[in-house]
């Protein structure tokens, strides 16, 4: 549940498979704020963030006083159409009752280039992670749910290297939920 969603629409195009929140438009506040939560047993905040190539950072922070003051957890600077998986350790100040989280763009100076999207937000105890994923040719659907813009080919004296090439469209490999 969200206390505030501003400047966003649900979209199937920007972050990962399925629907995500996409923030765009000029002259609008771009902000996502959670309701107050009980984070006494939480140790991490996880989310996937995709940014365009504009000059506008997306800042993630938390508040323990109803949104009056904010502590910055992360500041993501845009790079051309990059997607980041953020796994942030929560400081002890955020492991209390009544914590809210916020993602916002403090300054919006361009339109489409400053577009960003967020998906798969998780707050809670640390989750076990696989130690490795094995790429096979063809790609194993039990480990990877989507693959676009890539091919296996020999590269740097090795066979079957997953190679992303070309300049048109998106290029990605997405894991199944872990």
């Amino acid at each position: 549940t969200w206390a505030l969603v501003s400047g966003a629409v649900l979209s199937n195009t920007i972050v990962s498979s399925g629907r995500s929140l996409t923030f765009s438009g000029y002259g609008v506040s771009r902000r996502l704020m959670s309701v107050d939560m009980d984070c006494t047993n939480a140790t991490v905040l996880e989310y996937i963030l995709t940014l365009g190539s504009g000059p506008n950072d997306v800042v993630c922070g938390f508040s323990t006083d109803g949104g009056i003051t904010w502590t910055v957890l992360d500041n993501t600077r845009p790079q051309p159409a990059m997607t980041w998986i953020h796994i942030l350790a929560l400081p002890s100040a955020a492991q209390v009752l009544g914590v809210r989280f916020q993602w916002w763009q403090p300054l919006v100076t361009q339109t489409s280039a400053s577009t960003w999207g967020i998906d798969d937000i998780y707050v809670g105890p640390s989750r076990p992670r696989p130690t490795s994923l094995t790429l096979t040719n063809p790609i194993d659907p039990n480990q990877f749910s989507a693959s676009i813009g890539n091919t296996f080919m020999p590269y740097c004296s090795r066979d079957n290297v997953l190679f992303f090439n070309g300049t048109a469209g998106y290029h990605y490999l997405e894991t199944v939920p872990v």
Side-chain angles (χ1 to χ4, degrees):
T1 305
W2 300 103
L4 175 68
V5 179
S6 176
V9 295
L10 281 173
S11 169
N12 290 332
T13 60
I14 193 165
V15 178
S16 61
S17 65
R19 295 167 63 94
S20 59
L21 275 177
T22 300
F23 294 80
S24 62
Y26 182 71
V28 296
S29 172
R30 297 179 183 177
R31 181 171 293 193
L32 176 64
M33 184 188 316
S34 74
V35 296
D36 288 346
M37 296 185 279
D38 181 355
C39 291
T40 53
N41 294 317
T43 58
V44 296
L45 169 64
E46 301 177 10
Y47 57 95
I48 300 173
L49 186 70
T50 297
L51 277 79
S53 59
N56 308 117
D57 297 0
V58 173
V59 180
C60 172
F62 74 93
S63 174
T64 58
D65 59 9
I68 296 170
T69 60
W70 293 92
T71 301
V72 173
L73 285 173
D74 190 54
N75 184 36
T76 304
R77 296 191 177 273
Q79 295 184 18
M82 293 293 295
T83 298
W84 289 272
I85 298 172
H86 295 260
I87 303 174
L88 307 175
L90 291 180
S92 58
Q95 296 175 344
V96 296
L97 181 64
V99 177
R100 66 177 62 182
F101 296 94
Q102 174 176 254
W103 294 262
W104 77 100
Q105 246 177 339
L107 177 64
V108 178
T109 58
Q110 295 181 353
T111 54
S112 62
S114 295
T115 298
W116 57 282
I118 192 165
D119 200 3
D120 297 334
I121 298 169
Y122 169 80
V123 180
S126 295
R127 299 188 282 188
R129 305 264 177 241
T131 55
S132 67
L133 295 171
T134 304
L135 287 174
T136 59
N137 187 4
I139 291 175
D140 181 357
N142 293 316
Q143 291 188 29
F144 300 96
S145 60
S147 174
I148 294 179
N150 55 62
T151 185
F152 280 93
M153 60 188 290
Y155 187 76
C156 292
S157 302
R158 294 183 182 207
D159 292 330
N160 288 326
V161 173
L162 184 63
F163 193 71
F164 294 86
N165 61 355
T167 58
Y170 290 99
H171 298 68
Y172 66 90
L173 179 66
E174 181 176 286
T175 66
V176 296
V178 290

